[in-house]
Amino acid sequence: MILIELIFPVILLVLGIYHGLMQVLYRAGMIHSRQVLGLDYYQGLTLHGVVNAIVFTTFFAVAFGYAIIRFYLGRPMNMKVAWLSFTLMIVGTLAAAAAILSGTSSVLYTFYPPLRAHPAFYIGLTLTVVGSWIAFFNWFPPYFAWKREHRGEKVPLAVVGIFAAFIVWLIATIPVAIEILVLLLPWSLGWVATVNVPLARMLFWFFGHPLVYFWLLPTYVMYYTMLPKLAGGKLFSDFAGRLTFLWLVLYSAPVGIHHQFTEPGISSTWKFVHAFFTMLVAVPSFATAFTLAASMEHGARLNGGRGWFGWWRKLPYLDKDRWLFAYFFCGLFIFIFGGVTGIINASYNLDVVVHNTSWLPAHFHQTVAGPIFLSYIGMSLFLVVKLMGKELRLPRINVWVPYIWTVGIMIFSTGLFIGGAGGEPRRTNMGLTYTDPRSPLYQPDWVYAKYLGALGGTLMTIAGLMFFIIFFATLFSRATKPAALNLITSETYHDEHVPAVQSFTPWLAGAALLLVIAYAPPIAQTLRSNFPGAAPYTPDNPVPLTSKP
Ligand code: HAS
């Protein structure tokens, strides 16, 4: 099951990456058309976001969670429940994909109303989410059985991390379930004529920001538990890992309004409160930067590294036998820039300059398409090798994939950052307007930044193609070794025993309290405001739709 849950989204990823390339070509003015091969710009952008950011990540997190629970807790799962979860996720994904491909659901991955999708899109997403919840609930019996048998022992760090990820996911998906089931689905089915846009958007971002930490936590599990050993050393501090995971449970959710700084109906007091909490949610990532750097330094020094900076030379950057190191290290490097730009976005007044410009996709590609994407594809390949007893194909080329991706993403994001700071909009088919010399809207000073974007995006596509070749060549090769679920586990340098990070309970209570403080007043404000309900729209027409989709 783990294998199918890894391979299915990687197949879909082919579609996701293709539409990434299309995006940069449209935006750079290399395509002056509304559509290519029968798929229009917004349909392609919706596929790109939904496949890469929602489907690939959710399937991977579930598969990786199963691997972690099975490996560290050493107990079988209830397979009937696991198959139920799997079936719901597959059926849900196929329903949402069919809705997008039919051209009736070009609502982008944020599915903001008043853009309206076909009901199958909302039902499909709901089934996928419910399937992932069931997978999580299936991990409780082995978890509690392990705790009963190991009284007084620390739960393995990786298990704490994956539980933190799915707690964040549960917190995040409840508001979006309310948004879909109460607001969007009845509207999409034609049962009600209009939708409350400010409320729907607030519920979406109540989901949307913890979502990004749900993506990040499995990556942090890999970084904390595997990277130190790959670097030849030990994890510098077990406490730092536990604190990071639990801190993200606490602060992931009460920050969503930082996506709505420019929106009406929410007072600046609550925008400020969310900006403040956003600064706090960045703290564990700073802690992670120092802990991982110290862990890598420890490994490098054991390997003969000397001096303040000389030890950096002793890390296994191009070691084809420890190739996962390259996937993890490149992600970390990219995340430095993704993190810094996140702090800029969170800074309220600076956000006014960059909001809804191409700066935003630059920021989030340096997070979700940086550390998260590289660690997820690296781990998918690693698990295929282990679980199928295969020999990795093209190992010397494989170790270069993350570096080419990194060069690509840095060039791509530089183009988008420059354009965004100059006002270039996101989510716009600029080949029809701003980068088309025949258009009265033509902006010649944006063109060179767009070429940078296209160059970087092309390099990313090349790295993606290289990965697909290696992945499928390995998958279809003959098994040469016994198959085994064997995860890399680092030892700990400082194995602190701090009671405050041994239990989820106080952190969950704190998270619940912060959610009430951060969301009850702004939701009340939104409900009190007297915006009219909105009729449905499609992205390419300023006139509302009046009939059902
Ligand atoms: Fe973000 C928008 C703020 C992190 C994803 N973010 C987005 C969107 C996405 C996204 C998808 O406050 C767009 C949504 C949309 O479609 O509209 N974000 C932050 C902040 C952080 C942050 C403060 N974001 C993430 C992560 C994401 C993600 C993680 C995906 C997984 N973001 C915002 C804001 C907006 C936003 C606003 C809305 C803006 C708007 O106007 O709409 C922080 O959590 C970041 C903390 C990270 C760090 C970096 C630590 C560095 C590390 C690397 C160390 C490296 C080493 C290697 C050791 C502080 C851990 C050294 C090697 C050498 C060679 C030196």
Side-chain angles (χ1 to χ4, degrees), residues 58-98:
T58 309
F59 271 86
F60 176 85
V62 168
F64 185 56
Y66 275 125
I68 294 281
I69 300 293
R70 187 73 185 85
F71 180 73
Y72 284 99
L73 303 184
R75 284 153 200 288
M77 310 277 166
N78 180 332
M79 286 311 290
K80 283 197 184 123
V81 176
W83 281 113
L84 172 67
S85 138
F86 173 82
T87 310
L88 287 176
M89 288 179 68
I90 295 272
V91 171
T93 301
L94 293 177

mmCIF file of all heavy atoms in Angstrom, residues 58-98:
data_model
loop_
_atom_site.group_PDB
_atom_site.id
_atom_site.type_symbol
_atom_site.label_atom_id
_atom_site.label_comp_id
_atom_site.label_asym_id
_atom_site.label_seq_id
_atom_site.Cartn_x
_atom_site.Cartn_y
_atom_site.Cartn_z
ATOM 1 N N THR A 58 -0.341 15.137 0.071
ATOM 2 C CA THR A 58 -1.190 14.373 1.002
ATOM 3 C C THR A 58 -0.896 12.876 0.880
ATOM 4 O O THR A 58 -0.744 12.171 1.885
ATOM 5 C CB THR A 58 -2.685 14.659 0.723
ATOM 6 O OG1 THR A 58 -2.861 16.068 0.687
ATOM 7 C CG2 THR A 58 -3.575 14.080 1.798
ATOM 8 N N PHE A 59 -0.809 12.388 -0.368
ATOM 9 C CA PHE A 59 -0.498 10.964 -0.539
ATOM 10 C C PHE A 59 0.858 10.640 0.071
ATOM 11 O O PHE A 59 1.027 9.635 0.750
ATOM 12 C CB PHE A 59 -0.505 10.588 -2.030
ATOM 13 C CG PHE A 59 -1.851 10.154 -2.515
ATOM 14 C CD1 PHE A 59 -2.776 11.086 -2.957
ATOM 15 C CD2 PHE A 59 -2.210 8.819 -2.524
ATOM 16 C CE1 PHE A 59 -4.032 10.692 -3.395
ATOM 17 C CE2 PHE A 59 -3.467 8.410 -2.959
ATOM 18 C CZ PHE A 59 -4.374 9.356 -3.394
ATOM 19 N N PHE A 60 1.843 11.506 -0.194
ATOM 20 C CA PHE A 60 3.170 11.207 0.341
ATOM 21 C C PHE A 60 3.136 11.180 1.867
ATOM 22 O O PHE A 60 3.692 10.277 2.498
ATOM 23 C CB PHE A 60 4.219 12.234 -0.131
ATOM 24 C CG PHE A 60 5.548 11.963 0.518
ATOM 25 C CD1 PHE A 60 6.426 11.043 -0.019
ATOM 26 C CD2 PHE A 60 5.888 12.574 1.734
ATOM 27 C CE1 PHE A 60 7.618 10.726 0.620
ATOM 28 C CE2 PHE A 60 7.074 12.267 2.381
ATOM 29 C CZ PHE A 60 7.944 11.340 1.819
ATOM 30 N N ALA A 61 2.475 12.168 2.476
ATOM 31 C CA ALA A 61 2.476 12.243 3.947
ATOM 32 C C ALA A 61 1.843 10.987 4.542
ATOM 33 O O ALA A 61 2.337 10.441 5.540
ATOM 34 C CB ALA A 61 1.744 13.496 4.412
ATOM 35 N N VAL A 62 0.755 10.500 3.914
ATOM 36 C CA VAL A 62 0.109 9.292 4.431
ATOM 37 C C VAL A 62 1.061 8.096 4.277
ATOM 38 O O VAL A 62 1.272 7.323 5.222
ATOM 39 C CB VAL A 62 -1.244 9.054 3.709
ATOM 40 C CG1 VAL A 62 -1.784 7.669 4.005
ATOM 41 C CG2 VAL A 62 -2.256 10.112 4.130
ATOM 42 N N ALA A 63 1.655 7.945 3.095
ATOM 43 C CA ALA A 63 2.548 6.799 2.853
ATOM 44 C C ALA A 63 3.745 6.853 3.807
ATOM 45 O O ALA A 63 4.133 5.844 4.413
ATOM 46 C CB ALA A 63 3.031 6.812 1.403
ATOM 47 N N PHE A 64 4.309 8.033 3.962
ATOM 48 C CA PHE A 64 5.486 8.187 4.829
ATOM 49 C C PHE A 64 5.086 7.925 6.284
ATOM 50 O O PHE A 64 5.823 7.297 7.055
ATOM 51 C CB PHE A 64 6.047 9.604 4.644
ATOM 52 C CG PHE A 64 7.328 9.857 5.385
ATOM 53 C CD1 PHE A 64 8.447 9.055 5.185
ATOM 54 C CD2 PHE A 64 7.427 10.920 6.284
ATOM 55 C CE1 PHE A 64 9.632 9.303 5.881
ATOM 56 C CE2 PHE A 64 8.606 11.172 6.969
ATOM 57 C CZ PHE A 64 9.712 10.356 6.771
ATOM 58 N N GLY A 65 3.879 8.378 6.651
ATOM 59 C CA GLY A 65 3.379 8.131 8.003
ATOM 60 C C GLY A 65 3.268 6.637 8.278
ATOM 61 O O GLY A 65 3.710 6.150 9.329
ATOM 62 N N TYR A 66 2.706 5.901 7.320
ATOM 63 C CA TYR A 66 2.627 4.445 7.493
ATOM 64 C C TYR A 66 4.029 3.858 7.698
ATOM 65 O O TYR A 66 4.236 3.002 8.559
ATOM 66 C CB TYR A 66 2.021 3.789 6.248
ATOM 67 C CG TYR A 66 0.515 3.758 6.238
ATOM 68 C CD1 TYR A 66 -0.214 4.297 5.180
ATOM 69 C CD2 TYR A 66 -0.194 3.172 7.279
ATOM 70 C CE1 TYR A 66 -1.596 4.275 5.162
ATOM 71 C CE2 TYR A 66 -1.583 3.140 7.272
ATOM 72 C CZ TYR A 66 -2.275 3.696 6.211
ATOM 73 O OH TYR A 66 -3.648 3.657 6.207
ATOM 74 N N ALA A 67 4.976 4.322 6.876
ATOM 75 C CA ALA A 67 6.342 3.771 6.969
ATOM 76 C C ALA A 67 6.935 4.060 8.354
ATOM 77 O O ALA A 67 7.533 3.182 8.987
ATOM 78 C CB ALA A 67 7.218 4.366 5.865
ATOM 79 N N ILE A 68 6.738 5.291 8.844
ATOM 80 C CA ILE A 68 7.298 5.676 10.140
ATOM 81 C C ILE A 68 6.668 4.838 11.261
ATOM 82 O O ILE A 68 7.361 4.285 12.121
ATOM 83 C CB ILE A 68 7.018 7.180 10.418
ATOM 84 C CG1 ILE A 68 7.764 8.064 9.433
ATOM 85 C CG2 ILE A 68 7.331 7.561 11.861
ATOM 86 C CD1 ILE A 68 9.213 8.262 9.743
ATOM 87 N N ILE A 69 5.330 4.755 11.241
ATOM 88 C CA ILE A 69 4.641 4.053 12.334
ATOM 89 C C ILE A 69 5.043 2.574 12.320
ATOM 90 O O ILE A 69 5.365 1.983 13.351
ATOM 91 C CB ILE A 69 3.100 4.211 12.184
ATOM 92 C CG1 ILE A 69 2.713 5.687 12.231
ATOM 93 C CG2 ILE A 69 2.355 3.402 13.244
ATOM 94 C CD1 ILE A 69 2.915 6.380 13.546
ATOM 95 N N ARG A 70 5.047 1.996 11.132
ATOM 96 C CA ARG A 70 5.365 0.561 11.024
ATOM 97 C C ARG A 70 6.811 0.296 11.465
ATOM 98 O O ARG A 70 7.096 -0.658 12.170
ATOM 99 C CB ARG A 70 5.157 0.134 9.565
ATOM 100 C CG ARG A 70 5.286 -1.339 9.292
ATOM 101 C CD ARG A 70 4.073 -2.065 9.852
ATOM 102 N NE ARG A 70 4.205 -3.518 9.708
ATOM 103 C CZ ARG A 70 4.851 -4.287 10.596
ATOM 104 N NH1 ARG A 70 5.436 -3.765 11.644
ATOM 105 N NH2 ARG A 70 4.917 -5.584 10.423
ATOM 106 N N PHE A 71 7.721 1.172 11.045
ATOM 107 C CA PHE A 71 9.147 0.936 11.318
ATOM 108 C C PHE A 71 9.484 1.185 12.789
ATOM 109 O O PHE A 71 10.140 0.385 13.437
ATOM 110 C CB PHE A 71 9.992 1.851 10.422
ATOM 111 C CG PHE A 71 11.478 1.688 10.636
ATOM 112 C CD1 PHE A 71 12.135 0.547 10.181
ATOM 113 C CD2 PHE A 71 12.219 2.655 11.297
ATOM 114 C CE1 PHE A 71 13.504 0.379 10.371
ATOM 115 C CE2 PHE A 71 13.583 2.498 11.503
ATOM 116 C CZ PHE A 71 14.223 1.353 11.035
ATOM 117 N N TYR A 72 8.995 2.304 13.348
ATOM 118 C CA TYR A 72 9.420 2.659 14.710
ATOM 119 C C TYR A 72 8.590 1.992 15.791
ATOM 120 O O TYR A 72 9.079 1.755 16.886
ATOM 121 C CB TYR A 72 9.398 4.182 14.907
ATOM 122 C CG TYR A 72 10.572 4.855 14.237
ATOM 123 C CD1 TYR A 72 10.435 5.460 13.006
ATOM 124 C CD2 TYR A 72 11.836 4.844 14.833
ATOM 125 C CE1 TYR A 72 11.519 6.052 12.375
ATOM 126 C CE2 TYR A 72 12.921 5.437 14.212
ATOM 127 C CZ TYR A 72 12.755 6.036 12.988
ATOM 128 O OH TYR A 72 13.831 6.615 12.378
ATOM 129 N N LEU A 73 7.303 1.732 15.501
ATOM 130 C CA LEU A 73 6.473 1.115 16.532
ATOM 131 C C LEU A 73 6.393 -0.398 16.338
ATOM 132 O O LEU A 73 5.946 -1.119 17.242
ATOM 133 C CB LEU A 73 5.070 1.739 16.555
ATOM 134 C CG LEU A 73 5.050 3.270 16.770
ATOM 135 C CD1 LEU A 73 3.628 3.780 16.886
ATOM 136 C CD2 LEU A 73 5.856 3.677 18.016
ATOM 137 N N GLY A 74 6.803 -0.854 15.154
ATOM 138 C CA GLY A 74 6.966 -2.291 14.916
ATOM 139 C C GLY A 74 5.687 -3.103 15.016
ATOM 140 O O GLY A 74 5.729 -4.264 15.398
ATOM 141 N N ARG A 75 4.568 -2.499 14.689
ATOM 142 C CA ARG A 75 3.309 -3.241 14.796
ATOM 143 C C ARG A 75 2.542 -3.156 13.481
ATOM 144 O O ARG A 75 2.614 -2.152 12.794
ATOM 145 C CB ARG A 75 2.397 -2.588 15.855
ATOM 146 C CG ARG A 75 2.799 -2.879 17.218
ATOM 147 C CD ARG A 75 2.352 -1.774 18.148
ATOM 148 N NE ARG A 75 3.169 -1.875 19.332
ATOM 149 C CZ ARG A 75 3.037 -2.840 20.216
ATOM 150 N NH1 ARG A 75 2.097 -3.745 20.070
ATOM 151 N NH2 ARG A 75 3.837 -2.915 21.251
ATOM 152 N N PRO A 76 1.758 -4.217 13.188
ATOM 153 C CA PRO A 76 0.946 -4.173 11.971
ATOM 154 C C PRO A 76 -0.223 -3.204 12.123
ATOM 155 O O PRO A 76 -0.621 -2.871 13.230
ATOM 156 C CB PRO A 76 0.439 -5.612 11.826
ATOM 157 C CG PRO A 76 0.522 -6.184 13.190
ATOM 158 C CD PRO A 76 1.593 -5.462 13.936
ATOM 159 N N MET A 77 -0.745 -2.740 10.997
ATOM 160 C CA MET A 77 -1.919 -1.849 11.019
ATOM 161 C C MET A 77 -3.171 -2.682 10.780
ATOM 162 O O MET A 77 -3.094 -3.793 10.278
ATOM 163 C CB MET A 77 -1.862 -0.858 9.849
ATOM 164 C CG MET A 77 -0.596 -0.135 9.697
ATOM 165 S SD MET A 77 -0.551 1.256 10.783
ATOM 166 C CE MET A 77 1.182 1.616 10.668
ATOM 167 N N ASN A 78 -4.310 -2.062 11.033
ATOM 168 C CA ASN A 78 -5.576 -2.666 10.626
ATOM 169 C C ASN A 78 -5.717 -2.421 9.117
ATOM 170 O O ASN A 78 -5.976 -1.305 8.682
ATOM 171 C CB ASN A 78 -6.723 -2.015 11.406
ATOM 172 C CG ASN A 78 -8.046 -2.615 11.023
ATOM 173 O OD1 ASN A 78 -8.248 -3.088 9.918
ATOM 174 N ND2 ASN A 78 -8.962 -2.597 11.984
ATOM 175 N N MET A 79 -5.533 -3.484 8.326
ATOM 176 C CA MET A 79 -5.462 -3.273 6.877
ATOM 177 C C MET A 79 -6.816 -2.945 6.249
ATOM 178 O O MET A 79 -6.869 -2.288 5.217
ATOM 179 C CB MET A 79 -4.832 -4.488 6.183
ATOM 180 C CG MET A 79 -3.332 -4.575 6.393
ATOM 181 S SD MET A 79 -2.464 -3.009 6.047
ATOM 182 C CE MET A 79 -2.605 -2.892 4.279
ATOM 183 N N LYS A 80 -7.892 -3.393 6.887
ATOM 184 C CA LYS A 80 -9.221 -3.045 6.324
ATOM 185 C C LYS A 80 -9.404 -1.528 6.372
ATOM 186 O O LYS A 80 -9.853 -0.897 5.419
ATOM 187 C CB LYS A 80 -10.331 -3.720 7.128
ATOM 188 C CG LYS A 80 -10.464 -5.187 6.794
ATOM 189 C CD LYS A 80 -11.815 -5.704 7.280
ATOM 190 C CE LYS A 80 -11.866 -7.189 7.006
ATOM 191 N NZ LYS A 80 -12.113 -7.998 8.178
ATOM 192 N N VAL A 81 -9.033 -0.957 7.510
ATOM 193 C CA VAL A 81 -9.167 0.498 7.659
ATOM 194 C C VAL A 81 -8.214 1.203 6.680
ATOM 195 O O VAL A 81 -8.561 2.196 6.038
ATOM 196 C CB VAL A 81 -8.860 0.906 9.123
ATOM 197 C CG1 VAL A 81 -8.903 2.415 9.289
ATOM 198 C CG2 VAL A 81 -9.834 0.242 10.074
ATOM 199 N N ALA A 82 -7.009 0.633 6.547
ATOM 200 C CA ALA A 82 -6.024 1.250 5.644
ATOM 201 C C ALA A 82 -6.544 1.242 4.201
ATOM 202 O O ALA A 82 -6.411 2.234 3.480
ATOM 203 C CB ALA A 82 -4.701 0.502 5.743
ATOM 204 N N TRP A 83 -7.162 0.138 3.780
ATOM 205 C CA TRP A 83 -7.682 0.086 2.402
ATOM 206 C C TRP A 83 -8.866 1.043 2.224
ATOM 207 O O TRP A 83 -9.041 1.623 1.154
ATOM 208 C CB TRP A 83 -8.086 -1.344 2.021
ATOM 209 C CG TRP A 83 -6.884 -2.191 1.659
ATOM 210 C CD1 TRP A 83 -6.392 -3.261 2.338
ATOM 211 C CD2 TRP A 83 -6.007 -1.995 0.527
ATOM 212 N NE1 TRP A 83 -5.264 -3.755 1.721
ATOM 213 C CE2 TRP A 83 -5.007 -3.002 0.608
ATOM 214 C CE3 TRP A 83 -5.957 -1.085 -0.523
ATOM 215 C CZ2 TRP A 83 -3.981 -3.119 -0.330
ATOM 216 C CZ3 TRP A 83 -4.930 -1.202 -1.462
ATOM 217 C CH2 TRP A 83 -3.959 -2.208 -1.349
ATOM 218 N N LEU A 84 -9.660 1.207 3.276
ATOM 219 C CA LEU A 84 -10.781 2.151 3.182
ATOM 220 C C LEU A 84 -10.234 3.570 2.948
ATOM 221 O O LEU A 84 -10.692 4.307 2.060
ATOM 222 C CB LEU A 84 -11.617 2.107 4.477
ATOM 223 C CG LEU A 84 -12.695 3.169 4.588
ATOM 224 C CD1 LEU A 84 -13.777 2.931 3.537
ATOM 225 C CD2 LEU A 84 -13.329 3.188 5.986
ATOM 226 N N SER A 85 -9.215 3.919 3.735
ATOM 227 C CA SER A 85 -8.606 5.242 3.594
ATOM 228 C C SER A 85 -8.046 5.413 2.181
ATOM 229 O O SER A 85 -8.271 6.423 1.504
ATOM 230 C CB SER A 85 -7.503 5.391 4.649
ATOM 231 O OG SER A 85 -6.364 6.005 4.124
ATOM 232 N N PHE A 86 -7.344 4.383 1.722
ATOM 233 C CA PHE A 86 -6.714 4.419 0.404
ATOM 234 C C PHE A 86 -7.768 4.611 -0.696
ATOM 235 O O PHE A 86 -7.627 5.446 -1.595
ATOM 236 C CB PHE A 86 -5.968 3.087 0.225
ATOM 237 C CG PHE A 86 -5.407 2.872 -1.136
ATOM 238 C CD1 PHE A 86 -4.195 3.435 -1.497
ATOM 239 C CD2 PHE A 86 -6.082 2.095 -2.070
ATOM 240 C CE1 PHE A 86 -3.672 3.228 -2.763
ATOM 241 C CE2 PHE A 86 -5.570 1.889 -3.324
ATOM 242 C CZ PHE A 86 -4.359 2.452 -3.681
ATOM 243 N N THR A 87 -8.873 3.826 -0.596
ATOM 244 C CA THR A 87 -9.909 3.892 -1.641
ATOM 245 C C THR A 87 -10.528 5.290 -1.687
ATOM 246 O O THR A 87 -10.714 5.868 -2.767
ATOM 247 C CB THR A 87 -11.020 2.845 -1.348
ATOM 248 O OG1 THR A 87 -10.377 1.604 -1.105
ATOM 249 C CG2 THR A 87 -11.989 2.698 -2.495
ATOM 250 N N LEU A 88 -10.821 5.845 -0.510
ATOM 251 C CA LEU A 88 -11.425 7.188 -0.496
ATOM 252 C C LEU A 88 -10.484 8.214 -1.134
ATOM 253 O O LEU A 88 -10.917 9.086 -1.896
ATOM 254 C CB LEU A 88 -11.734 7.607 0.947
ATOM 255 C CG LEU A 88 -12.911 6.902 1.619
ATOM 256 C CD1 LEU A 88 -13.044 7.351 3.067
ATOM 257 C CD2 LEU A 88 -14.204 7.208 0.863
ATOM 258 N N MET A 89 -9.199 8.084 -0.816
ATOM 259 C CA MET A 89 -8.243 9.058 -1.357
ATOM 260 C C MET A 89 -8.131 8.945 -2.878
ATOM 261 O O MET A 89 -8.082 9.948 -3.587
ATOM 262 C CB MET A 89 -6.866 8.889 -0.697
ATOM 263 C CG MET A 89 -6.863 9.360 0.748
ATOM 264 S SD MET A 89 -5.286 9.137 1.555
ATOM 265 C CE MET A 89 -4.259 10.304 0.701
ATOM 266 N N ILE A 90 -8.097 7.709 -3.376
ATOM 267 C CA ILE A 90 -7.964 7.532 -4.833
ATOM 268 C C ILE A 90 -9.243 8.017 -5.534
ATOM 269 O O ILE A 90 -9.174 8.797 -6.501
ATOM 270 C CB ILE A 90 -7.719 6.038 -5.181
ATOM 271 C CG1 ILE A 90 -6.383 5.568 -4.611
ATOM 272 C CG2 ILE A 90 -7.830 5.802 -6.693
ATOM 273 C CD1 ILE A 90 -5.180 5.785 -5.488
ATOM 274 N N VAL A 91 -10.403 7.581 -5.022
ATOM 275 C CA VAL A 91 -11.666 7.980 -5.676
ATOM 276 C C VAL A 91 -11.805 9.503 -5.636
ATOM 277 O O VAL A 91 -12.156 10.148 -6.633
ATOM 278 C CB VAL A 91 -12.879 7.296 -4.977
ATOM 279 C CG1 VAL A 91 -14.205 7.845 -5.490
ATOM 280 C CG2 VAL A 91 -12.822 5.785 -5.184
ATOM 281 N N GLY A 92 -11.468 10.099 -4.485
ATOM 282 C CA GLY A 92 -11.577 11.552 -4.344
ATOM 283 C C GLY A 92 -10.676 12.269 -5.335
ATOM 284 O O GLY A 92 -11.093 13.224 -6.010
ATOM 285 N N THR A 93 -9.441 11.799 -5.451
ATOM 286 C CA THR A 93 -8.501 12.454 -6.365
ATOM 287 C C THR A 93 -8.981 12.342 -7.804
ATOM 288 O O THR A 93 -8.927 13.319 -8.571
ATOM 289 C CB THR A 93 -7.108 11.793 -6.229
ATOM 290 O OG1 THR A 93 -6.697 11.923 -4.885
ATOM 291 C CG2 THR A 93 -6.096 12.436 -7.146
ATOM 292 N N LEU A 94 -9.469 11.147 -8.183
ATOM 293 C CA LEU A 94 -9.908 10.974 -9.570
ATOM 294 C C LEU A 94 -11.131 11.853 -9.861
ATOM 295 O O LEU A 94 -11.238 12.435 -10.949
ATOM 296 C CB LEU A 94 -10.219 9.495 -9.848
ATOM 297 C CG LEU A 94 -8.970 8.578 -9.798
ATOM 298 C CD1 LEU A 94 -9.366 7.120 -10.013
ATOM 299 C CD2 LEU A 94 -7.915 9.001 -10.829
ATOM 300 N N ALA A 95 -12.024 11.985 -8.866
ATOM 301 C CA ALA A 95 -13.212 12.837 -9.076
ATOM 302 C C ALA A 95 -12.785 14.296 -9.278
ATOM 303 O O ALA A 95 -13.269 14.978 -10.199
ATOM 304 C CB ALA A 95 -14.152 12.719 -7.881
ATOM 305 N N ALA A 96 -11.860 14.769 -8.426
ATOM 306 C CA ALA A 96 -11.416 16.168 -8.547
ATOM 307 C C ALA A 96 -10.673 16.367 -9.874
ATOM 308 O O ALA A 96 -10.868 17.378 -10.569
ATOM 309 C CB ALA A 96 -10.526 16.537 -7.370
ATOM 310 N N ALA A 97 -9.839 15.368 -10.257
ATOM 311 C CA ALA A 97 -9.084 15.486 -11.519
ATOM 312 C C ALA A 97 -10.047 15.531 -12.698
ATOM 313 O O ALA A 97 -9.880 16.341 -13.630
ATOM 314 C CB ALA A 97 -8.114 14.311 -11.659
ATOM 315 N N ALA A 98 -11.093 14.675 -12.663
ATOM 316 C CA ALA A 98 -12.061 14.665 -13.774
ATOM 317 C C ALA A 98 -12.753 16.017 -13.867
ATOM 318 O O ALA A 98 -12.964 16.554 -14.975
ATOM 319 C CB ALA A 98 -13.082 13.554 -13.554
#
